[in-house]
PDB file of all heavy atoms in Angstrom:
ATOM      1  N   ALA Y   1    -147.517 -55.832-140.426  1.00 93.00           N
ATOM      2  CA  ALA Y   1    -146.891 -57.062-140.957  1.00 93.00           C
ATOM      3  C   ALA Y   1    -146.972 -58.211-139.955  1.00 93.00           C
ATOM      4  O   ALA Y   1    -147.130 -59.376-140.352  1.00 93.00           O
ATOM      5  CB  ALA Y   1    -145.452 -56.793-141.322  1.00 93.00           C
ATOM      6  N   CYS Y   2    -146.885 -57.912-138.668  1.00 92.00           N
ATOM      7  CA  CYS Y   2    -146.892 -58.967-137.654  1.00 92.00           C
ATOM      8  C   CYS Y   2    -148.242 -59.683-137.575  1.00 92.00           C
ATOM      9  O   CYS Y   2    -148.317 -60.814-137.081  1.00 92.00           O
ATOM     10  CB  CYS Y   2    -146.531 -58.398-136.284  1.00 92.00           C
ATOM     11  SG  CYS Y   2    -144.761 -58.112-136.081  1.00 92.00           S
ATOM     12  N   LEU Y   3    -149.296 -59.033-138.046  1.00 91.00           N
ATOM     13  CA  LEU Y   3    -150.610 -59.724-138.074  1.00 91.00           C
ATOM     14  C   LEU Y   3    -150.532 -60.948-138.983  1.00 91.00           C
ATOM     15  O   LEU Y   3    -151.236 -61.935-138.755  1.00 91.00           O
ATOM     16  CB  LEU Y   3    -151.677 -58.758-138.586  1.00 91.00           C
ATOM     17  CG  LEU Y   3    -152.035 -57.602-137.653  1.00 91.00           C
ATOM     18  CD1 LEU Y   3    -152.967 -56.606-138.361  1.00 91.00           C
ATOM     19  CD2 LEU Y   3    -152.668 -58.103-136.364  1.00 91.00           C
ATOM     20  N   VAL Y   4    -149.688 -60.877-139.997  1.00 87.00           N
ATOM     21  CA  VAL Y   4    -149.501 -62.000-140.918  1.00 87.00           C
ATOM     22  C   VAL Y   4    -148.308 -62.849-140.483  1.00 87.00           C
ATOM     23  O   VAL Y   4    -148.338 -64.088-140.539  1.00 87.00           O
ATOM     24  CB  VAL Y   4    -149.265 -61.501-142.364  1.00 87.00           C
ATOM     25  CG1 VAL Y   4    -149.003 -62.651-143.299  1.00 87.00           C
ATOM     26  CG2 VAL Y   4    -150.457 -60.664-142.829  1.00 87.00           C
ATOM     27  N   ARG Y   5    -147.272 -62.207-140.009  1.00 87.00           N
ATOM     28  CA  ARG Y   5    -145.992 -62.878-139.748  1.00 87.00           C
ATOM     29  C   ARG Y   5    -146.001 -63.748-138.522  1.00 87.00           C
ATOM     30  O   ARG Y   5    -145.380 -64.836-138.507  1.00 87.00           O
ATOM     31  CB  ARG Y   5    -144.896 -61.806-139.617  1.00 87.00           C
ATOM     32  CG  ARG Y   5    -143.479 -62.366-139.552  1.00 87.00           C
ATOM     33  CD  ARG Y   5    -142.489 -61.239-139.377  1.00 87.00           C
ATOM     34  NE  ARG Y   5    -142.542 -60.292-140.484  1.00 87.00           N
ATOM     35  CZ  ARG Y   5    -142.286 -58.987-140.370  1.00 87.00           C
ATOM     36  NH1 ARG Y   5    -142.003 -58.488-139.170  1.00 87.00           N
ATOM     37  NH2 ARG Y   5    -142.349 -58.200-141.421  1.00 87.00           N
ATOM     38  N   VAL Y   6    -146.666 -63.331-137.453  1.00 90.00           N
ATOM     39  CA  VAL Y   6    -146.570 -64.047-136.171  1.00 90.00           C
ATOM     40  C   VAL Y   6    -147.101 -65.498-136.243  1.00 90.00           C
ATOM     41  O   VAL Y   6    -146.444 -66.409-135.762  1.00 90.00           O
ATOM     42  CB  VAL Y   6    -147.251 -63.260-135.039  1.00 90.00           C
ATOM     43  CG1 VAL Y   6    -147.434 -64.114-133.790  1.00 90.00           C
ATOM     44  CG2 VAL Y   6    -146.426 -62.014-134.708  1.00 90.00           C
ATOM     45  N   PRO Y   7    -148.295 -65.738-136.826  1.00 90.00           N
ATOM     46  CA  PRO Y   7    -148.745 -67.135-136.905  1.00 90.00           C
ATOM     47  C   PRO Y   7    -147.754 -68.047-137.615  1.00 90.00           C
ATOM     48  O   PRO Y   7    -147.509 -69.182-137.170  1.00 90.00           O
ATOM     49  CB  PRO Y   7    -150.075 -67.031-137.667  1.00 90.00           C
ATOM     50  CG  PRO Y   7    -150.567 -65.649-137.391  1.00 90.00           C
ATOM     51  CD  PRO Y   7    -149.312 -64.797-137.348  1.00 90.00           C
ATOM     52  N   THR Y   8    -147.195 -67.587-138.718  1.00 85.00           N
ATOM     53  CA  THR Y   8    -146.231 -68.393-139.448  1.00 85.00           C
ATOM     54  C   THR Y   8    -144.939 -68.541-138.648  1.00 85.00           C
ATOM     55  O   THR Y   8    -144.253 -69.581-138.710  1.00 85.00           O
ATOM     56  CB  THR Y   8    -145.931 -67.815-140.838  1.00 85.00           C
ATOM     57  OG1 THR Y   8    -145.390 -66.504-140.689  1.00 85.00           O
ATOM     58  CG2 THR Y   8    -147.191 -67.740-141.677  1.00 85.00           C
ATOM     59  N   GLU Y   9    -144.583 -67.509-137.891  1.00 83.00           N
ATOM     60  CA  GLU Y   9    -143.360 -67.575-137.070  1.00 83.00           C
ATOM     61  C   GLU Y   9    -143.531 -68.587-135.946  1.00 83.00           C
ATOM     62  O   GLU Y   9    -142.583 -69.338-135.611  1.00 83.00           O
ATOM     63  CB  GLU Y   9    -143.060 -66.181-136.486  1.00 83.00           C
ATOM     64  CG  GLU Y   9    -141.727 -66.051-135.815  1.00 83.00           C
ATOM     65  CD  GLU Y   9    -140.578 -65.879-136.775  1.00 83.00           C
ATOM     66  OE1 GLU Y   9    -140.806 -65.845-138.010  1.00 83.00           O
ATOM     67  OE2 GLU Y   9    -139.434 -65.761-136.306  1.00 83.00           O
ATOM     68  N   VAL Y  10    -144.705 -68.630-135.320  1.00 87.00           N
ATOM     69  CA  VAL Y  10    -144.983 -69.603-134.273  1.00 87.00           C
ATOM     70  C   VAL Y  10    -144.828 -71.033-134.806  1.00 87.00           C
ATOM     71  O   VAL Y  10    -144.163 -71.882-134.217  1.00 87.00           O
ATOM     72  CB  VAL Y  10    -146.389 -69.403-133.675  1.00 87.00           C
ATOM     73  CG1 VAL Y  10    -146.780 -70.574-132.755  1.00 87.00           C
ATOM     74  CG2 VAL Y  10    -146.455 -68.107-132.888  1.00 87.00           C
ATOM     75  N   VAL Y  11    -145.486 -71.293-135.923  1.00 87.00           N
ATOM     76  CA  VAL Y  11    -145.421 -72.619-136.545  1.00 87.00           C
ATOM     77  C   VAL Y  11    -143.986 -72.960-136.935  1.00 87.00           C
ATOM     78  O   VAL Y  11    -143.491 -74.066-136.651  1.00 87.00           O
ATOM     79  CB  VAL Y  11    -146.350 -72.681-137.780  1.00 87.00           C
ATOM     80  CG1 VAL Y  11    -146.135 -73.980-138.547  1.00 87.00           C
ATOM     81  CG2 VAL Y  11    -147.809 -72.549-137.351  1.00 87.00           C
ATOM     82  N   LYS Y  12    -143.316 -72.025-137.562  1.00 82.00           N
ATOM     83  CA  LYS Y  12    -141.961 -72.237-138.051  1.00 82.00           C
ATOM     84  C   LYS Y  12    -140.999 -72.562-136.893  1.00 82.00           C
ATOM     85  O   LYS Y  12    -140.236 -73.540-136.987  1.00 82.00           O
ATOM     86  CB  LYS Y  12    -141.467 -70.996-138.777  1.00 82.00           C
ATOM     87  CG  LYS Y  12    -140.052 -71.104-139.331  1.00 82.00           C
ATOM     88  CD  LYS Y  12    -139.525 -69.741-139.734  1.00 82.00           C
ATOM     89  CE  LYS Y  12    -139.165 -68.914-138.503  1.00 82.00           C
ATOM     90  NZ  LYS Y  12    -138.494 -67.645-138.859  1.00 82.00           N
ATOM     91  N   GLN Y  13    -141.054 -71.799-135.816  1.00 82.00           N
ATOM     92  CA  GLN Y  13    -140.100 -71.994-134.752  1.00 82.00           C
ATOM     93  C   GLN Y  13    -140.355 -73.288-133.980  1.00 82.00           C
ATOM     94  O   GLN Y  13    -139.428 -73.906-133.485  1.00 82.00           O
ATOM     95  CB  GLN Y  13    -140.117 -70.788-133.815  1.00 82.00           C
ATOM     96  CG  GLN Y  13    -139.528 -69.530-134.460  1.00 82.00           C
ATOM     97  CD  GLN Y  13    -139.076 -68.502-133.471  1.00 82.00           C
ATOM     98  OE1 GLN Y  13    -139.636 -68.355-132.388  1.00 82.00           O
ATOM     99  NE2 GLN Y  13    -138.046 -67.749-133.813  1.00 82.00           N
ATOM    100  N   ARG Y  14    -141.605 -73.688-133.859  1.00 85.00           N
ATOM    101  CA  ARG Y  14    -141.893 -74.954-133.180  1.00 85.00           C
ATOM    102  C   ARG Y  14    -141.424 -76.143-133.999  1.00 85.00           C
ATOM    103  O   ARG Y  14    -141.012 -77.159-133.444  1.00 85.00           O
ATOM    104  CB  ARG Y  14    -143.386 -75.038-132.846  1.00 85.00           C
ATOM    105  CG  ARG Y  14    -143.788 -74.043-131.776  1.00 85.00           C
ATOM    106  CD  ARG Y  14    -145.228 -74.098-131.353  1.00 85.00           C
ATOM    107  NE  ARG Y  14    -145.491 -73.105-130.308  1.00 85.00           N
ATOM    108  CZ  ARG Y  14    -146.624 -72.980-129.663  1.00 85.00           C
ATOM    109  NH1 ARG Y  14    -147.655 -73.746-129.951  1.00 85.00           N
ATOM    110  NH2 ARG Y  14    -146.774 -72.044-128.736  1.00 85.00           N
ATOM    111  N   LEU Y  15    -141.461 -76.003-135.315  1.00 84.00           N
ATOM    112  CA  LEU Y  15    -140.881 -77.046-136.166  1.00 84.00           C
ATOM    113  C   LEU Y  15    -139.358 -77.020-136.110  1.00 84.00           C
ATOM    114  O   LEU Y  15    -138.718 -78.063-136.054  1.00 84.00           O
ATOM    115  CB  LEU Y  15    -141.338 -76.835-137.610  1.00 84.00           C
ATOM    116  CG  LEU Y  15    -142.798 -77.252-137.923  1.00 84.00           C
ATOM    117  CD1 LEU Y  15    -143.198 -76.741-139.306  1.00 84.00           C
ATOM    118  CD2 LEU Y  15    -142.972 -78.763-137.851  1.00 84.00           C
ATOM    119  N   GLN Y  16    -138.785 -75.821-136.101  1.00 78.00           N
ATOM    120  CA  GLN Y  16    -137.311 -75.713-136.038  1.00 78.00           C
ATOM    121  C   GLN Y  16    -136.756 -76.287-134.748  1.00 78.00           C
ATOM    122  O   GLN Y  16    -135.666 -76.845-134.731  1.00 78.00           O
ATOM    123  CB  GLN Y  16    -136.912 -74.233-136.155  1.00 78.00           C
ATOM    124  CG  GLN Y  16    -137.070 -73.651-137.555  1.00 78.00           C
ATOM    125  CD  GLN Y  16    -136.738 -72.178-137.573  1.00 78.00           C
ATOM    126  OE1 GLN Y  16    -136.987 -71.448-136.614  1.00 78.00           O
ATOM    127  NE2 GLN Y  16    -136.213 -71.698-138.694  1.00 78.00           N
ATOM    128  N   ALA Y  17    -137.493 -76.104-133.646  1.00 79.00           N
ATOM    129  CA  ALA Y  17    -137.009 -76.566-132.339  1.00 79.00           C
ATOM    130  C   ALA Y  17    -137.324 -78.033-132.098  1.00 79.00           C
ATOM    131  O   ALA Y  17    -137.013 -78.573-131.035  1.00 79.00           O
ATOM    132  CB  ALA Y  17    -137.630 -75.712-131.236  1.00 79.00           C
ATOM    133  N   GLY Y  18    -137.958 -78.704-133.063  1.00 80.00           N
ATOM    134  CA  GLY Y  18    -138.234 -80.128-132.965  1.00 80.00           C
ATOM    135  C   GLY Y  18    -139.378 -80.467-132.042  1.00 80.00           C
ATOM    136  O   GLY Y  18    -139.491 -81.613-131.593  1.00 80.00           O
ATOM    137  N   GLN Y  19    -140.282 -79.510-131.756  1.00 81.00           N
ATOM    138  CA  GLN Y  19    -141.406 -79.776-130.878  1.00 81.00           C
ATOM    139  C   GLN Y  19    -142.471 -80.603-131.601  1.00 81.00           C
ATOM    140  O   GLN Y  19    -143.282 -81.254-130.952  1.00 81.00           O
ATOM    141  CB  GLN Y  19    -142.005 -78.475-130.369  1.00 81.00           C
ATOM    142  CG  GLN Y  19    -141.101 -77.715-129.412  1.00 81.00           C
ATOM    143  CD  GLN Y  19    -141.776 -76.491-128.811  1.00 81.00           C
ATOM    144  OE1 GLN Y  19    -142.917 -76.151-129.167  1.00 81.00           O
ATOM    145  NE2 GLN Y  19    -141.086 -75.812-127.914  1.00 81.00           N
ATOM    146  N   HIS Y  20    -142.517 -80.521-132.903  1.00 81.00           N
ATOM    147  CA  HIS Y  20    -143.494 -81.271-133.712  1.00 81.00           C
ATOM    148  C   HIS Y  20    -142.816 -81.845-134.945  1.00 81.00           C
ATOM    149  O   HIS Y  20    -141.789 -81.320-135.406  1.00 81.00           O
ATOM    150  CB  HIS Y  20    -144.672 -80.347-134.127  1.00 81.00           C
ATOM    151  CG  HIS Y  20    -145.359 -79.714-132.962  1.00 81.00           C
ATOM    152  ND1 HIS Y  20    -146.322 -80.366-132.221  1.00 81.00           N
ATOM    153  CD2 HIS Y  20    -145.228 -78.483-132.410  1.00 81.00           C
ATOM    154  CE1 HIS Y  20    -146.753 -79.542-131.261  1.00 81.00           C
ATOM    155  NE2 HIS Y  20    -146.113 -78.395-131.357  1.00 81.00           N
ATOM    156  N   SER Y  21    -143.406 -82.886-135.477  1.00 78.00           N
ATOM    157  CA  SER Y  21    -142.760 -83.619-136.588  1.00 78.00           C
ATOM    158  C   SER Y  21    -143.145 -83.132-137.963  1.00 78.00           C
ATOM    159  O   SER Y  21    -142.443 -83.411-138.944  1.00 78.00           O
ATOM    160  CB  SER Y  21    -143.077 -85.110-136.475  1.00 78.00           C
ATOM    161  OG  SER Y  21    -144.496 -85.310-136.519  1.00 78.00           O
ATOM    162  N   SER Y  22    -144.282 -82.430-138.064  1.00 84.00           N
ATOM    163  CA  SER Y  22    -144.732 -81.986-139.392  1.00 84.00           C
ATOM    164  C   SER Y  22    -145.564 -80.732-139.269  1.00 84.00           C
ATOM    165  O   SER Y  22    -146.015 -80.358-138.164  1.00 84.00           O
ATOM    166  CB  SER Y  22    -145.576 -83.089-140.064  1.00 84.00           C
ATOM    167  OG  SER Y  22    -146.799 -83.271-139.360  1.00 84.00           O
ATOM    168  N   LEU Y  23    -145.803 -80.084-140.418  1.00 83.00           N
ATOM    169  CA  LEU Y  23    -146.637 -78.854-140.437  1.00 83.00           C
ATOM    170  C   LEU Y  23    -148.035 -79.136-139.974  1.00 83.00           C
ATOM    171  O   LEU Y  23    -148.583 -78.377-139.160  1.00 83.00           O
ATOM    172  CB  LEU Y  23    -146.638 -78.281-141.852  1.00 83.00           C
ATOM    173  CG  LEU Y  23    -147.504 -77.039-142.084  1.00 83.00           C
ATOM    174  CD1 LEU Y  23    -147.050 -75.892-141.185  1.00 83.00           C
ATOM    175  CD2 LEU Y  23    -147.447 -76.614-143.552  1.00 83.00           C
ATOM    176  N   THR Y  24    -148.638 -80.237-140.430  1.00 89.00           N
ATOM    177  CA  THR Y  24    -150.003 -80.543-140.023  1.00 89.00           C
ATOM    178  C   THR Y  24    -150.077 -80.847-138.524  1.00 89.00           C
ATOM    179  O   THR Y  24    -151.049 -80.491-137.862  1.00 89.00           O
ATOM    180  CB  THR Y  24    -150.557 -81.749-140.809  1.00 89.00           C
ATOM    181  OG1 THR Y  24    -149.644 -82.860-140.684  1.00 89.00           O
ATOM    182  CG2 THR Y  24    -150.704 -81.395-142.291  1.00 89.00           C
ATOM    183  N   ALA Y  25    -149.016 -81.466-137.975  1.00 91.00           N
ATOM    184  CA  ALA Y  25    -149.001 -81.812-136.564  1.00 91.00           C
ATOM    185  C   ALA Y  25    -148.959 -80.554-135.704  1.00 91.00           C
ATOM    186  O   ALA Y  25    -149.702 -80.433-134.710  1.00 91.00           O
ATOM    187  CB  ALA Y  25    -147.814 -82.702-136.228  1.00 91.00           C
ATOM    188  N   VAL Y  26    -148.121 -79.592-136.054  1.00 89.00           N
ATOM    189  CA  VAL Y  26    -148.042 -78.381-135.263  1.00 89.00           C
ATOM    190  C   VAL Y  26    -149.309 -77.548-135.376  1.00 89.00           C
ATOM    191  O   VAL Y  26    -149.755 -76.950-134.388  1.00 89.00           O
ATOM    192  CB  VAL Y  26    -146.783 -77.537-135.636  1.00 89.00           C
ATOM    193  CG1 VAL Y  26    -146.895 -76.918-137.009  1.00 89.00           C
ATOM    194  CG2 VAL Y  26    -146.532 -76.425-134.607  1.00 89.00           C
ATOM    195  N   LEU Y  27    -149.921 -77.519-136.532  1.00 91.00           N
ATOM    196  CA  LEU Y  27    -151.177 -76.804-136.698  1.00 91.00           C
ATOM    197  C   LEU Y  27    -152.281 -77.426-135.850  1.00 91.00           C
ATOM    198  O   LEU Y  27    -152.997 -76.715-135.147  1.00 91.00           O
ATOM    199  CB  LEU Y  27    -151.619 -76.804-138.175  1.00 91.00           C
ATOM    200  CG  LEU Y  27    -150.778 -75.966-139.137  1.00 91.00           C
ATOM    201  CD1 LEU Y  27    -151.214 -76.222-140.595  1.00 91.00           C
ATOM    202  CD2 LEU Y  27    -150.894 -74.466-138.824  1.00 91.00           C
ATOM    203  N   ARG Y  28    -152.392 -78.722-135.906  1.00 92.00           N
ATOM    204  CA  ARG Y  28    -153.431 -79.441-135.168  1.00 92.00           C
ATOM    205  C   ARG Y  28    -153.223 -79.349-133.656  1.00 92.00           C
ATOM    206  O   ARG Y  28    -154.147 -79.028-132.915  1.00 92.00           O
ATOM    207  CB  ARG Y  28    -153.458 -80.914-135.593  1.00 92.00           C
ATOM    208  CG  ARG Y  28    -154.578 -81.720-134.958  1.00 92.00           C
ATOM    209  CD  ARG Y  28    -154.628 -83.139-135.509  1.00 92.00           C
ATOM    210  NE  ARG Y  28    -153.377 -83.870-135.293  1.00 92.00           N
ATOM    211  CZ  ARG Y  28    -152.521 -84.162-136.248  1.00 92.00           C
ATOM    212  NH1 ARG Y  28    -152.740 -83.758-137.493  1.00 92.00           N
ATOM    213  NH2 ARG Y  28    -151.395 -84.831-135.974  1.00 92.00           N
ATOM    214  N   GLN Y  29    -151.987 -79.571-133.211  1.00 91.00           N
ATOM    215  CA  GLN Y  29    -151.741 -79.574-131.764  1.00 91.00           C
ATOM    216  C   GLN Y  29    -151.777 -78.196-131.153  1.00 91.00           C
ATOM    217  O   GLN Y  29    -152.222 -78.016-130.025  1.00 91.00           O
ATOM    218  CB  GLN Y  29    -150.398 -80.278-131.502  1.00 91.00           C
ATOM    219  CG  GLN Y  29    -150.445 -81.763-131.826  1.00 91.00           C
ATOM    220  CD  GLN Y  29    -149.112 -82.452-131.587  1.00 91.00           C
ATOM    221  OE1 GLN Y  29    -148.376 -82.102-130.666  1.00 91.00           O
ATOM    222  NE2 GLN Y  29    -148.774 -83.433-132.409  1.00 91.00           N
ATOM    223  N   THR Y  30    -151.309 -77.178-131.906  1.00 91.00           N
ATOM    224  CA  THR Y  30    -151.362 -75.820-131.382  1.00 91.00           C
ATOM    225  C   THR Y  30    -152.812 -75.372-131.235  1.00 91.00           C
ATOM    226  O   THR Y  30    -153.202 -74.775-130.218  1.00 91.00           O
ATOM    227  CB  THR Y  30    -150.608 -74.852-132.307  1.00 91.00           C
ATOM    228  OG1 THR Y  30    -149.220 -75.249-132.366  1.00 91.00           O
ATOM    229  CG2 THR Y  30    -150.700 -73.411-131.792  1.00 91.00           C
ATOM    230  N   HIS Y  31    -153.638 -75.648-132.241  1.00 92.00           N
ATOM    231  CA  HIS Y  31    -155.049 -75.270-132.192  1.00 92.00           C
ATOM    232  C   HIS Y  31    -155.771 -76.046-131.112  1.00 92.00           C
ATOM    233  O   HIS Y  31    -156.608 -75.474-130.395  1.00 92.00           O
ATOM    234  CB  HIS Y  31    -155.705 -75.548-133.558  1.00 92.00           C
ATOM    235  CG  HIS Y  31    -157.133 -75.098-133.609  1.00 92.00           C
ATOM    236  ND1 HIS Y  31    -158.193 -75.948-133.306  1.00 92.00           N
ATOM    237  CD2 HIS Y  31    -157.700 -73.895-133.893  1.00 92.00           C
ATOM    238  CE1 HIS Y  31    -159.326 -75.292-133.403  1.00 92.00           C
ATOM    239  NE2 HIS Y  31    -159.050 -74.035-133.772  1.00 92.00           N
ATOM    240  N   SER Y  32    -155.438 -77.316-130.943  1.00 92.00           N
ATOM    241  CA  SER Y  32    -156.090 -78.139-129.904  1.00 92.00           C
ATOM    242  C   SER Y  32    -155.753 -77.665-128.500  1.00 92.00           C
ATOM    243  O   SER Y  32    -156.620 -77.604-127.644  1.00 92.00           O
ATOM    244  CB  SER Y  32    -155.667 -79.608-130.072  1.00 92.00           C
ATOM    245  OG  SER Y  32    -156.183 -80.399-129.056  1.00 92.00           O
ATOM    246  N   ALA Y  33    -154.496 -77.336-128.267  1.00 90.00           N
ATOM    247  CA  ALA Y  33    -154.064 -76.946-126.920  1.00 90.00           C
ATOM    248  C   ALA Y  33    -154.309 -75.480-126.583  1.00 90.00           C
ATOM    249  O   ALA Y  33    -154.577 -75.157-125.424  1.00 90.00           O
ATOM    250  CB  ALA Y  33    -152.553 -77.256-126.780  1.00 90.00           C
ATOM    251  N   GLU Y  34    -154.234 -74.611-127.561  1.00 89.00           N
ATOM    252  CA  GLU Y  34    -154.310 -73.172-127.281  1.00 89.00           C
ATOM    253  C   GLU Y  34    -155.350 -72.413-128.072  1.00 89.00           C
ATOM    254  O   GLU Y  34    -155.542 -71.198-127.843  1.00 89.00           O
ATOM    255  CB  GLU Y  34    -152.908 -72.543-127.530  1.00 89.00           C
ATOM    256  CG  GLU Y  34    -151.797 -73.219-126.754  1.00 89.00           C
ATOM    257  CD  GLU Y  34    -150.438 -72.676-127.138  1.00 89.00           C
ATOM    258  OE1 GLU Y  34    -150.180 -71.493-126.866  1.00 89.00           O
ATOM    259  OE2 GLU Y  34    -149.644 -73.437-127.721  1.00 89.00           O
TER     260      GLU Y  34
END
């Protein structure tokens, strides 16, 4: 299950913690940086 759950958990928690302003922003910046 974690093969599916972890990517969504990373995106979700970074949005919850206010690190990014939108879903597209966290997807783009996470992929760009890491």
Side-chain angles (χ1 to χ4, degrees):
C2 282
L3 292 172
V4 178
R5 188 182 300 148
V6 167
T8 59
E9 190 80 359
V10 169
V11 172
K12 180 193 74 173
Q13 291 201 328
R14 291 183 180 185
L15 284 169
Q16 287 176 327
Q19 292 185 357
H20 303 278
S21 59
S22 68
L23 177 59
T24 54
V26 69
L27 290 172
R28 184 175 60 253
Q29 292 179 34
T30 299
H31 183 268
S32 175
E34 304 174 66

